[in-house]
Amino acid sequence: MSSDSGACDALDRLFEQSPPTLGPTEVAERLGVSNKSVYTWLREGLIPGYKVGSTWFIIRDELKDTLRRGANVPRDTGPVVVINSERHEGD
């Protein structure tokens, strides 16, 4: 079993009562974030979704796969900040 099996189990439990297709409001409620955040993530392509007219649809299993791939993975864009809390003599 892989080391991330706990995260997979948690995602499965989080979405176990969800239908195969979700709307942004349902996703926001499941993840505990605002609708605005979900719409931003959809527009920016951070989570998968399909727009028909003005309505967004999210496939539950595609969202779960995306969340699994993004779990504690550093992004390769933006500045890298290294914080070193160790102080050495003479610093």
Side-chain angles (χ1 to χ4, degrees):
M1 197 173 268
S2 68
S3 63
D4 66 342
S5 63
C8 294
D9 292 341
L11 280 173
D12 289 338
R13 284 191 305 273
L14 181 65
F15 288 99
E16 70 185 347
Q17 299 299 318
S18 298
T21 305
L22 306 167
T25 299
E26 294 165 297
V27 172
E29 289 171 359
R30 288 281 181 208
L31 299 179
V33 299
S34 70
N35 287 352
K36 182 178 178 181
S37 291
V38 173
Y39 281 106
T40 298
W41 297 341
L42 286 164
R43 280 192 307 275
E44 293 178 357
L46 295 174
I47 61 173
Y50 303 89
K51 190 172 184 183
V52 179
S54 61
T55 303
W56 282 97
F57 298 94
I58 298 107
I59 306 298
R60 179 197 59 216
D61 292 341
E62 290 180 4
L63 176 61
K64 286 173 25 179
D65 290 344
T66 298
L67 293 172
R68 284 183 179 117
R69 284 193 309 270
N72 295 334
V73 177
R75 294 185 182 182
D76 56 357
T77 59
V80 175
V81 177
V82 177
I83 299 173
N84 186 354
S85 62
E86 294 180 22
R87 295 198 46 95
H88 299 282
E89 193 173 318
D91 285 351

